[in-house]
């Protein structure tokens, strides 16, 4: 079966081999409760990356899981149709697209965000197409509760982030979002609706988490909740040297709960007055100023910043919060005078990137292409990565944040489909390019080429790394990505989506005519 599936891997000529299906009669035969649009499929052929434009034959707005079963069954009866669940289309490389296939708009499925208590714990049952932003508002405002693990930006769908991992500054403690789900309802590539958990249908449960949409469509997820704090002290601490930065960041993520912050991230910025890439990108409020006179003369082309947050209740006395913060800051070696902090509400903190979105929309950057690159790099190689990539290739910045912060392998579940570097500590590296000049094709091409240069540099140096939100054009690339997990991934595909109907935009498998 593995060999058979491997043979089906067709990177480029997939479209040519497809037969012509009578799409409109198929659409009629579907008898959906929702709707189907074979005309204006524009939205479904684009994504946040803006690098690819791929047209489906239809954009489907399902009303519920039954519609998904109908769509997948119809695709299976056809000789060539594929089905892509589209969350909020925030992929970079066309992962939620389907070339002449059916794209399902998960956002229009009936939204469910319901808090449930069970076995002494609180959970939220949420539909796969719900935005995390809406989950936050419902849980905090309605119940004073919140999921434990987030992404930085919450305009993403539950199904979309669970298909990858879902990483932010809480992941060092609670693991990625995939480690915080206890149950899901899914529609598989065989059009079966299954409820799954660690004990019920565990094979599909673990396959789907981080499974890049390959095995089933998540229609509902049960996410663990905890009491929400009222307030957050949000801080940024500047470092001149990577060694000191990474030592302190690793110290913070390995402290026990109660002896560290509730959120730990970090980023690299350019040691210059450049308004986007340099010193001005660090202060948290317009009133705060970056005193560059504090930067040691020995500092190099880039500087580093640890970003942390401490949760508290509005009833906590200010001096209690100050004391807890000073105790932790006292153990760190950031540059004196280059510490910034602000107290904000918990929701405001979690919705911080929405403000970036609003500004970026206002000046046109949000809709420009985003040739982003996300990597997971082992602690073993992160200092070399800093030397070769941040200090050299990216010494002038990327026109947006360059995140780098440590995570702990023990908080990730090996049974899921996500692959991460070896070793207990590894770093998330995210190059989040925002630049109006990207509307010019030549600039985008240069940036894509720079991403390739970085990947090649990691490979040439033998770094232990994985792409996060991976994108490969060849079977060799995917095999290397999954390493010794490739066989398991292929077996899971054969079991849950044997005709390779689902998530064709990932370009891992290609559609076959028979199971
Ligand atoms: P889509 O892009 O629509 O889909 C992604 C993949 O998942 C596709 O293959 C699709 O077919 C599949 N899929 C979608 N819905 C389902 C479903 N219900 N069931 C099964 N498969 C499904 N990621 C982080 O981890 N941390 C961050 O902090 C973070 N910040 C981001 C900030 C911005 C501004 C952007 C644009 C992206 C960010 N991401 C982050 C990346 C994000 O997690 C991915 O883009 C992810 O794919 C979620 O986006 P989406 O919901 O729009 O999914």
């Amino acid at each position: 079966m593995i060999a058979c599936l491997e043979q089906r891997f067709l990177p480029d000529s997939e479209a040519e081999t497809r037969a012509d299906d009578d799409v409109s009669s198929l659409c009629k035969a579907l008898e959906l409760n929702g709707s189907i649009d074979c005309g204006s499929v524009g939205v479904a052929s684009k994504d946040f990356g803006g690098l690819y434009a791929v047209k489906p034959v239809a954009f489907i707005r399902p009303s519920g899981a039954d519609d998904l079963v109908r769509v997948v069954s119809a695709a299976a009866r056809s000789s060539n149709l594929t089905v892509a669940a589209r969350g909020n289309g925030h992929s970079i490389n066309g992962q939620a697209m389907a070339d002449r296939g059916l794209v399902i708009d998960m956002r229009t499925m009936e939204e469910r965000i319901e808090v449930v208590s069970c076995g002494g714990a609180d959970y939220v049952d949420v539909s796969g197409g719900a935005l995390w932003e809406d989950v936050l508002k419902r849980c905090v405002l309605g119940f004073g509760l919140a999921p434990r693990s987030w992404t930085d930006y919450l305009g993403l769908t539950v199904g979309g982030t669970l298909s990858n991992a879902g990483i932010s500054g809480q992941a060092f403690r609670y693991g990625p979002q995939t480690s915080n789900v206890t149950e899901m309802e899914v529609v598989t590539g065989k059009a079966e609706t299954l409820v799954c958990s660690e004990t019920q249908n565990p094979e599909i449960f673990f396959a789907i988490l981080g499974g890049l949409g390959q095995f089933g469509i998540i229609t509902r997820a049960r996410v663990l909740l905890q009491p929400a704090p009222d307030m957050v002290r949000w801080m940024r601490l500047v470092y001149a040297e990577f060694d000191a930065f990474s030592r302190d960041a690793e110290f913070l993520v390995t402290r026990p709960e109660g002896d560290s912050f509730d959120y730990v991230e970090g980023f690299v910025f350019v040691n210059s007055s450049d308004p986007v890439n340099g010193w001005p990108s660090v202060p948290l409020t317009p009133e705060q100023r970056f005193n560059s006179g504090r930067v040691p003369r020995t500092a190099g082309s880039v500087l580093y910043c640890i970003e942390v947050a401490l949760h508290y209740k509005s009833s906590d006395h200010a001096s209690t919060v100050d004391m807890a913060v000073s105790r932790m800051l006292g153990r760190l070696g950031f540059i004196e005078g280059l510490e910034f902090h602000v107290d904000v509400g918990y929701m405001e903190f979690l919705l911080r990137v929405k403000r970036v979105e609003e500004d970026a929309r206002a000046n046109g950057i949000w809709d420009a292409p985003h040739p982003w690159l996300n990597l997971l790099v082992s602690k073993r190689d992160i200092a070399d990565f800093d030397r070769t990539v941040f200090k050299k290739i990216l010494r002038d910045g990327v026109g947006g944040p360059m995140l780098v912060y440590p995570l702990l392998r023990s908080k990730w579940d090996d049974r899921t489909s996500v692959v991460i570097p070896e070793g207990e500590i590894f770093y998330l590296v995210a190059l989040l390019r925002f630049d109006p000049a990207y509307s010019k094709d030549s600039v985008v091409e240069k940036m894509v080429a720079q991403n390739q240069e970085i990947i090649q540099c990691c490979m040439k140096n033998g770094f232990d790394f994985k792409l996060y939100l991976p994108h490969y054009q060849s079977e060799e690339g995917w095999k290397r990505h999954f390493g010794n997990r490739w066989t398991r991934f292929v077996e899971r595909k054969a079991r849950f989506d044997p005709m390779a109907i689902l998530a064709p935009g990932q370009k891992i498998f290609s559609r076959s005519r028979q199971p």
Side-chain angles (χ1 to χ4, degrees):
M1 180 57 92
I2 296 166
C4 160
L5 262 169
E6 287 184 5
Q7 276 167 13
R8 288 182 210 154
F9 183 94
L10 293 175
D12 295 317
S13 57
E14 184 182 10
E16 288 146 36
T17 60
R18 291 178 172 180
D20 248 3
D21 265 26
D22 186 348
V23 175
S24 61
S25 67
L26 177 121
C27 293
K28 273 186 214 136
L30 278 173
E31 292 183 353
L32 299 178
N33 291 321
S35 65
I36 182 159
D37 195 339
C38 298
S40 44
V41 292
V43 174
S45 47
K46 291 189 231 157
D47 66 14
F48 183 79
L51 305 174
Y52 295 85
V54 171
K55 235 175 136 187
V57 288
F59 194 24
I60 293 166
R61 298 186 180 85
S63 81
D66 289 352
D67 276 353
L68 300 188
V69 171
R70 288 184 190 109
V71 172
V72 177
S73 305
R77 285 194 302 273
S78 79
S79 59
N80 55 24
L81 283 175
T82 53
V83 176
R86 185 181 198 270
N88 209 19
H90 277 52
S91 291
I92 300 300
N93 294 295
Q95 286 95 334
M97 296 179 190
D99 188 4
R100 282 170 273 178
L102 308 171
V103 174
I104 297 179
D105 184 0
M106 295 301 292
R107 295 275 299 111
T108 57
M109 245 176 87
E110 202 184 337
E111 189 164 277
R112 174 175 175 189
I113 303 178
E114 203 175 293
V115 171
V116 291
S117 292
C118 158
D122 295 312
Y123 304 88
V124 60
D125 269 343
V126 55
S127 40
L131 294 182
W132 283 106
E133 181 181 323
D134 296 329
V135 177
L136 170 77
K137 289 176 186 160
R138 178 95 184 104
C139 292
V140 174
L141 299 177
F143 302 89
L145 296 168
R148 310 187 307 176
S149 188
W150 293 98
T151 45
D152 293 346
Y153 171 67
L154 306 189
L156 308 168
T157 64
V158 169
T161 68
L162 293 181
S163 298
N164 286 292
I167 308 173
S168 185
Q170 305 82 11
F172 78 92
R173 177 164 302 149
Y174 299 115
Q177 291 180 318
T178 43
S179 297
N180 291 273
V181 175
T182 59
E183 187 182 284
M184 286 182 290
E185 185 188 271
V186 303
V187 174
T188 69
K190 294 202 283 196
E192 294 168 320
T193 304
L194 297 174
V195 173
C196 58
S197 68
E198 195 167 344
T199 50
Q200 184 181 4
N201 297 310
E203 302 83 2
I204 184 80
F205 180 71
F206 290 114
I208 290 235
L209 293 170
L212 307 176
Q214 293 302 304
F215 312 111
I217 301 173
I218 303 166
T219 53
R220 175 182 64 84
R222 178 166 287 188
V223 180
L224 254 170
L225 298 176
Q226 66 182 7
D230 301 317
M231 298 293 294
V232 165
R233 179 157 302 175
W234 180 14
M235 281 163 281
R236 288 183 174 168
L237 317 164
V238 175
Y239 291 76
E241 302 299 334
F242 187 76
D243 278 3
F245 161 81
S246 59
R247 194 170 46 242
D248 280 0
E250 289 177 21
F251 171 78
L252 290 173
V253 302
T254 49
R255 305 303 303 160
E257 197 169 343
D259 194 26
S260 185
F261 293 100
D262 296 297
Y263 161 102
V264 179
E265 286 201 5
F267 60 92
V268 183
F269 61 102
V270 176
N271 187 10
S272 81
S273 59
D274 180 298
V276 176
N277 299 290
W279 307 322
S281 63
V282 179
L284 288 162
T285 66
E287 297 75 42
Q288 295 171 352
R289 276 201 55 251
F290 187 100
N291 181 356
S292 57
R294 295 273 183 178
V295 176
R297 290 224 177 92
T298 50
S301 55
V302 293
L303 300 171
Y304 309 89
C305 183
I306 291 183
E307 180 173 82
V308 287
L310 185 77
H311 294 168
Y312 62 94
K313 288 270 166 207
S314 359
S315 55
D316 288 339
H317 203 275
S319 62
T320 318
V321 180
D322 291 344
M323 259 165 53
V325 168
S326 325
R327 187 170 56 83
M328 288 186 256
L329 294 190
R331 297 182 284 188
L332 305 180
F334 55 91
I335 303 173
E336 225 187 298
L338 289 181
E339 176 264 329
F340 303 86
H341 79 262
V342 64
D343 290 279
V344 294
Y346 178 63
M347 296 231 309
E348 189 185 343
F349 175 69
L350 287 178
L351 293 170
R352 63 199 179 279
V353 183
K354 197 173 175 68
R355 291 202 302 274
V356 178
E357 175 181 356
E358 284 158 4
D359 290 349
R361 278 192 191 282
N363 59 29
I365 299 176
W366 194 258
D367 295 323
H370 298 96
W372 287 7
L373 180 66
N374 290 272
L375 304 149
L376 302 171
V377 182
S378 158
K379 166 186 161 74
R380 188 194 75 184
D381 299 312
I382 195 69
D384 284 336
F385 184 93
D386 170 60
R387 257 190 298 280
T388 49
V389 178
F390 286 133
K391 285 198 173 82
K392 287 190 182 142
I393 302 176
L394 300 178
R395 64 183 173 278
D396 297 324
V398 297
M402 299 192 285
L403 306 185
V404 54
Y405 57 90
L407 296 161
L408 304 178
R409 191 187 174 98
S410 48
K411 304 287 180 179
W412 295 59
D413 194 323
D414 265 356
R415 294 170 294 180
T416 68
S417 294
V418 189
V419 285
I420 55 179
E422 296 300 323
E424 172 60 0
I425 298 180
F426 61 95
Y427 281 71
L428 172 89
V429 173
L431 308 177
L432 311 179
R433 306 167 185 276
F434 277 102
D435 193 327
Y438 292 168
S439 40
K440 289 194 195 113
D441 286 352
S442 59
V443 180
V444 177
E445 276 165 28
K446 229 166 106 185
M447 294 301 114
V448 172
Q450 191 179 62
N451 289 345
Q452 281 310 316
E453 184 189 355
I454 293 166
I455 294 168
Q456 289 306 320
C457 168
C458 291
M459 283 171 43
K460 198 178 81 206
N461 286 295
F463 292 167
D464 177 17
F465 80 102
K466 297 289 178 195
L467 290 189
Y468 176 54
L469 314 168
H471 168 62
Y472 290 100
Q473 301 277 6
S474 70
E475 181 182 25
E476 192 203 339
W478 283 112
K479 272 184 164 171
R480 197 176 47 240
H481 174 74
F482 283 104
N484 59 13
R485 299 286 161 79
W486 172 244
T487 306
R488 184 181 73 178
F489 199 79
V490 173
E491 279 170 358
R492 285 176 165 177
K493 187 71 174 174
R495 182 153 176 202
F496 300 114
D497 182 22
M499 293 167 79
I501 288 168
L502 300 177
Q506 299 279 1
K507 296 205 180 317
I508 307 175
F509 304 101
S510 68
R511 176 75 160 83
S512 76
R513 282 162 191 261
Q514 281 138 24

